[in-house]
Amino acid sequence: MMGGAGTVSPAERYPQKSQLWGLLKKTAFVLGSGLLIFAAIRNSLTWHLQRFWGASGDFWQAQWGKLHHYYEGSEWALFFLGAGLIPSFTFWFFNGILMVIDMTEKPSFITRYRIQLGKNSPVDSVKLLQAVLMVLFNQLFISYPMLIVMHYIMQWRGNPCSTELPTFHWVLLELSIFALVEEILFYYSHRLFHHPKLYKHIHKKHHEWTAPVGVVSLYAHPLEHIFSNMLPVMASPILMGSHVATVMLWFCLAVLSTTISHCGYHLPFLPSPEFHDFHHLKFNQCYGVLGLLDHLHATDLVFKQTKAYERHLLLLNLTPLSKSIPDSPKKHQGK
């Protein structure tokens, strides 16, 4: 029947179409404007960065040429220096400073940024020595042999120690891919090691530290060190046939990132370690590095309900976040 209660007349349809068309135009305008602004900012930023890179590019290319000449083009020497010795020096330089701070609780302008208040004040020196010895074992007997294998694979694929350094845009692209691949491989391998049958035999060693310190980032069972610490970081450079200079930069960034995540201090102007510190505190939250897969798999829901999540930001002033965003007062138990 025409004109029934469920029928919409042409006159009524027209305003609905007009509203829909207006909404689509507004959406297209907002999205288009946003894309244009994003493109302008991106192009401006990359232009300035590339200008800096280009200005210093000749300098770095000249230094690389001198280094290449000094080692007489020895790919093994260049690769071991870039992928092994320099990242190891970076790790121990920063962790050496942190260990002195942890053991002496000085200077106070650093210790005031401690995340878990009252923990590691000062750190147990015997327990710390045990961690240092385990890390040295992992580096000497696992990391370095894996780097030898990595060198042969990359040498077979191409020329990782070529005389020409990669371009600025290519390095940025590689680092972006490296970070995403590490997130995927670390998240799933980490969650696997939290399986009850694996946790008590392997991953429990790393979680002996519920309040971590920097050097604990590599304190792990040898199997975990292979599959969670090394392979997620090594996989992308191998697959992409990266230059050893990019590998060196990536490995240094990786050890600095994991050191900051475990250091126990939320320091100004450095990435927030709250995410992984919370994982050590609660065990079953925050498995990843970037947090992307934790969001996808909802393994950060408890974290997002805490003060630690509110403090999970880049600190841009000198006031400790434990003071500006303090924990909620604990409720007293009834008599």
Side-chain angles (χ1 to χ4, degrees):
M1 293 177 61
M2 300 297 293
T7 304
V8 180
S9 66
E12 292 173 325
R13 283 198 202 102
Y14 182 74
Q16 292 177 358
K17 289 182 179 180
S18 299
Q19 291 172 3
L20 178 61
W21 178 241
L23 180 61
L24 288 174
K25 287 194 293 184
K26 289 179 181 178
T27 303
F29 175 78
V30 171
L31 289 176
S33 301
L35 287 172
L36 287 173
I37 294 171
F38 172 78
I41 294 173
R42 186 202 65 179
N43 290 338
S44 176
L45 180 62
T46 55
W47 182 82
H48 284 292
L49 288 173
Q50 189 169 17
R51 190 178 180 188
F52 168 77
W53 185 278
S56 61
D58 292 339
F59 170 79
W60 291 115
Q61 183 64 61
Q63 303 314 305
W64 174 248
K66 291 178 183 178
L67 193 65
H68 207 280
H69 178 73
Y70 178 80
Y71 286 104
E72 298 179 345
S74 172
E75 290 201 356
W76 164 242
L78 292 166
F79 190 86
F80 187 69
L81 176 68
L85 293 182
I86 293 177
S88 294
F89 172 80
T90 302
F91 177 84
W92 286 111
F93 177 78
F94 286 99
N95 277 288
I97 295 172
L98 287 170
M99 284 190 287
V100 171
I101 295 170
D102 289 331
M103 289 188 293
T104 63
E105 293 194 279
K106 295 177 182 179
S108 59
F109 70 79
I110 297 294
T111 57
R112 66 199 291 257
Y113 294 102
R114 192 183 300 279
I115 296 173
Q116 296 189 41
L117 301 177
K119 302 287 184 70
N120 295 327
S121 301
V123 69
D124 184 335
S125 59
V126 175
K127 190 177 178 183
L128 182 63
L129 177 60
Q130 180 187 7
V132 168
L133 292 175
M134 188 74 231
V135 171
L136 286 171
F137 176 87
N138 283 339
Q139 287 183 321
L140 293 174
F141 298 104
I142 296 176
S143 296
Y144 289 159
M146 290 182 73
L147 289 177
I148 294 173
V149 175
M150 180 185 185
H151 171 249
Y152 282 116
I153 295 173
M154 295 186 72
Q155 198 175 37
W156 170 70
R157 290 196 70 246
N159 182 15
C161 301
S162 65
T163 55
E164 186 176 350
L165 292 176
T167 64
F168 170 73
H169 282 98
W170 183 249
V171 171
L172 281 185
L173 176 63
E174 284 190 304
L175 291 177
S176 301
I177 294 172
F178 294 171
L180 290 174
V181 171
E182 183 199 17
E183 169 75 358
I184 294 168
L185 295 181
F186 180 78
Y187 179 89
Y188 291 113
S189 64
H190 190 188
R191 281 201 72 176
L192 180 63
F193 281 122
H194 271 268
H195 188 280
K197 291 184 178 179
L198 295 177
Y199 179 83
K200 63 181 180 180
H201 297 296
I202 298 175
H203 193 48
K204 187 176 180 180
K205 176 175 284 294
H206 184 68
H207 275 284
E208 290 171 2
W209 293 78
T210 54
V213 294
V215 74
V216 170
S217 56
L218 298 183
Y219 176 68
H221 187 283
L223 285 176
E224 180 183 353
H225 187 64
I226 292 171
F227 292 103
S228 272
N229 291 343
M230 293 298 294
L231 286 180
V233 178
M234 293 170 60
S236 293
I238 292 174
L239 292 173
M240 299 191 69
S242 301
H243 193 281
V244 68
T246 309
V247 175
M248 179 194 70
L249 176 60
W250 167 238
F251 281 5
C252 288
L253 289 173
V255 297
L256 285 174
S257 174
T258 191
T259 294
I260 292 170
S261 294
H262 288 85
C263 73
Y265 302 103
H266 194 148
L267 298 170
F269 313 111
L270 289 179
S272 167
E274 301 280 354
F275 188 78
H276 194 73
D277 195 272
F278 190 80
H279 172 75
H280 275 262
L281 185 64
K282 298 298 182 182
F283 299 107
N284 61 352
Q285 290 281 298
C286 309
Y287 294 99
V289 179
L290 303 176
L292 299 175
L293 290 174
D294 284 285
H295 179 74
L296 179 65
H297 293 291
T299 49
D300 59 356
L301 295 182
V302 174
F303 174 65
K304 288 179 176 178
Q305 298 171 7
T306 65
K307 289 289 184 178
Y309 177 69
E310 294 181 35
R311 294 191 288 261
H312 185 45
L313 45 82
L314 182 66
L315 179 57
L316 296 177
N317 58 60
L318 300 180
T319 303
L321 285 168
S322 59
K323 291 186 177 181
S324 58
I325 309 177
D327 288 328
S328 301
K330 294 182 179 179
K331 295 181 180 180
H332 295 287
Q333 299 291 333
K335 293 183 179 180

